[in-house]
Amino acid sequence: MDEALLRSLTPSVLALLVRRGADFAAAEDAVQDALVEAVRVWPADPPRDPKGWLVTVAWRKFLDQSRADTARRRREDRAGEEPAPGPAPAADDTLRLYFLCAHPSLTPSSAVALTLRAVGGLTTRQIARAYLVPEATMAQRISRAKRTVSGVRFDRPGDVATVLRVLYLVFNEGYSGDVDLAAEAIRLTRQLAAGIDHPEVAGLLALMLLHHARRAGRTAPDGSLVPLAEQDRGRWDTRLIAEGVAILQAALARDRLGEFQAQAAIAALHADAPTAEETDWVQIVEWYDELLRLTGNPVVRLNRAVAVGEADGPRAGLAALAELDGSLPRHTAVAAYLHERDGDLETAARLYAEAAHHAANLAERDHLTRQAARLNARRRH
C-alpha cells in the first residue's frame, strides 16, 4: 500500500469534486471515505489509474451522502454527472485548495489543520497526535473549518502570503507523534512551488530546506539542545543546503525581495560558514536590516541585536537590545548571552536562570538552566 501516493492524490481528487459542484465539507468527507476504501481494496486489487479510481469512488460516496439529505430530489440530478470509467481529467485544482484552506476567515490553527487534512491527506488522528491534542478536539476544529469555507466561492484568487504563513506554521511544529510535520511542510511547499511561479514560495522552500539541513546537529544524544555555534557541522545535510541555496539564488535574481527570501539568505550565510567563527555576521546584520524594512517585526529586531553583538561586539548588541521591549520572548535569554560575551558572568547567570523560568518548552528550559549552572560553576572557580 503506497500511503505517499494516496496523500499526493488527495488534493487533486478533492478539487475535482468541488469543481463538479460538491460542497467542500461533503466533498472532503467523501474523499476521506474513498481513501479508507482504497486502503482496504488496493493491496489485493491495485487500480491501473489510482486517481481515476479515487475520483469515481469519492463521487459515488458524495452522491450517497447527497441522496440521504433532506434535499434528496434536487441533488439526485447530479447522479448523471458521475464520471465515466477511464483516466481522470488532467486539470488539477490543487493550488486553489491551498488558498481555500488558508482562508482569512479561519484561525491559524484551523487553517493549519484543514491544510494538513485536505491538501496533505493526513487523517484526523495523525493531525491530533502531531499537535498533542485529543482526536475529538481536532475533529471539531476541522469540522468548524470546513463549515466556514463551505460557502466560499472556489474561483477567487487567493492570498499567497496567507498560504505561506500557514505552511511555515506547519514547518515550525517540527516532529511530534507519528507525523514529521517539518518534512510534511516541505512536501506541501514543493507541491505549491510546482504549481505557482512566485519568488516568495521559492524563498519559503529554500528557508525550510536550509533549516531542515541542520536538524541532525540541533540535539545531543541525550536530547538536549545544541546551540548553533556548538553544532557539529559535519552532521548537516549538504545536499539540502546546496538545493536550498540554488533555489534561493534563483528567487533573489528576480529582484522581488520578500521576507521569506530574506530569512533564507540569513540561513544560507549560517549554512555557508565552515565554522561558527567564520560566519559573515556583517552581512547577516545587513539582511536583518532588509527583513526589518519588510516586516518591522520586533522578533526580527531581537535577532538583529544578537547579530550586531557578533558583528560589532557585545556592548553594541546590548545597546541594540536596550531599545526593545523587555517582555519580548527570548529577550532575557539574549541579554544573558550578550552579558556573558561581555564578561559579566554574574549578570549573565542570573538572566539565564530568569529566562529558564519563562522558557516556552522543557528542552529550552533545561538548556538555559544548564547555561546558568555552567556560569555559576565558573564563577566559583
Side-chain angles (χ1 to χ4, degrees):
M1 187 67 213
D2 191 343
E3 183 179 343
L5 173 63
L6 271 183
R7 286 165 57 185
S8 68
L9 292 174
T10 296
S12 57
V13 173
L14 174 56
L16 278 169
L17 264 64
V18 175
R19 177 177 281 276
R20 287 197 174 104
D23 171 82
F24 177 85
E28 207 277 333
D29 287 338
V31 171
Q32 290 293 322
D33 288 342
L35 294 175
V36 171
E37 188 74 4
V39 170
R40 185 181 69 83
V41 172
W42 286 11
D45 186 19
R48 292 183 179 179
D49 176 17
K51 181 179 177 181
W53 189 98
L54 285 172
V55 170
T56 300
V57 173
W59 186 253
R60 287 173 178 165
K61 297 285 186 183
F62 166 69
L63 292 177
D64 290 343
Q65 293 167 354
S66 298
R67 292 188 184 102
D69 194 82
T70 53
R72 176 180 55 83
R73 291 181 182 177
R74 177 171 56 84
R75 295 184 179 181
E76 279 185 343
D77 292 340
R78 295 177 178 152
E81 300 174 18
E82 179 174 337
D92 187 354
D93 292 324
T94 300
L95 183 58
R96 297 184 181 187
L97 282 184
Y98 279 89
F99 296 117
L100 189 65
C101 293
H103 194 269
S105 61
L106 296 174
T107 64
S109 60
S110 295
V112 165
L114 193 58
T115 298
L116 287 173
R117 175 151 158 156
V119 184
L122 300 183
T123 66
T124 302
R125 176 174 295 180
Q126 287 175 315
I127 301 169
R129 286 178 177 173
Y131 282 90
L132 305 179
V133 299
E135 185 175 352
T137 300
M138 185 57 69
Q140 290 177 348
R141 187 179 299 173
I142 293 173
S143 294
R144 285 195 298 268
K146 288 197 296 185
R147 286 196 300 270
T148 299
V149 301
S150 284
V152 176
R153 290 179 61 83
F154 199 53
D155 56 356
R156 293 180 181 175
D159 179 13
V160 174
T162 302
V163 174
L164 296 183
R165 287 191 184 93
V166 169
L167 291 173
Y168 196 42
L169 284 173
V170 176
F171 179 77
N172 283 330
E173 288 298 325
Y175 175 82
S176 183
D178 59 353
V179 177
D180 186 337
L181 289 179
E184 183 65 17
I186 290 172
R187 183 181 75 85
L188 293 177
T189 306
R190 284 190 190 279
Q191 188 179 59
L192 181 62
I196 183 171
D197 183 19
H198 194 292
E200 272 293 81
V201 177
L204 178 59
L205 179 57
L207 177 63
M208 289 179 175
L209 293 173
L210 289 164
H211 279 317
H212 204 56
R214 303 201 305 257
R215 178 171 175 171
R218 287 198 186 104
T219 54
D222 62 0
S224 60
L225 293 178
V226 180
L228 177 60
E230 300 172 19
Q231 289 178 17
D232 177 1
R233 299 183 179 222
R235 299 184 67 194
W236 291 0
D237 189 328
T238 54
R239 180 186 59 82
L240 286 183
I241 291 173
E243 183 185 4
V245 169
I247 292 171
L248 173 63
Q249 288 174 337
L252 292 175
R254 300 179 64 177
D255 199 24
R256 289 170 54 195
L257 184 65
E259 60 179 292
F260 288 117
Q261 293 170 74
Q263 288 188 58
I266 293 168
L269 286 167
H270 283 299
D272 189 53
T275 65
E277 293 73 24
E278 295 173 87
T279 303
D280 189 345
W281 286 106
V282 172
Q283 196 173 165
I284 288 176
V285 171
E286 292 173 354
W287 275 110
Y288 271 123
D289 289 338
E290 289 287 349
L291 194 53
L292 270 177
R293 182 180 59 80
L294 291 165
T295 68
N297 190 314
V299 176
V300 173
R301 294 185 185 276
L302 184 67
N303 291 333
R304 179 184 179 278
V306 176
V308 168
E310 298 289 353
D312 301 327
R315 294 195 179 181
L318 286 167
L321 188 66
E323 300 174 3
L324 306 180
D325 185 348
S327 65
L328 277 172
R330 293 183 57 247
H331 186 284
T332 307
V334 169
Y337 173 75
L338 290 172
H339 277 290
E340 180 185 355
R341 289 279 318 281
D342 196 37
D344 187 351
L345 302 189
E346 181 179 357
T347 301
R350 175 177 57 79
L351 289 173
Y352 275 131
E354 182 182 336
H357 183 69
H358 299 288
N361 55 65
L362 183 60
E364 185 179 346
R365 187 194 70 186
D366 290 347
H367 170 70
L368 293 168
T369 300
R370 282 194 297 271
Q371 296 294 82
R374 175 179 58 81
L375 294 188
N376 284 326
R378 281 181 59 185
R379 288 172 56 223
R380 285 193 295 268
H381 293 88

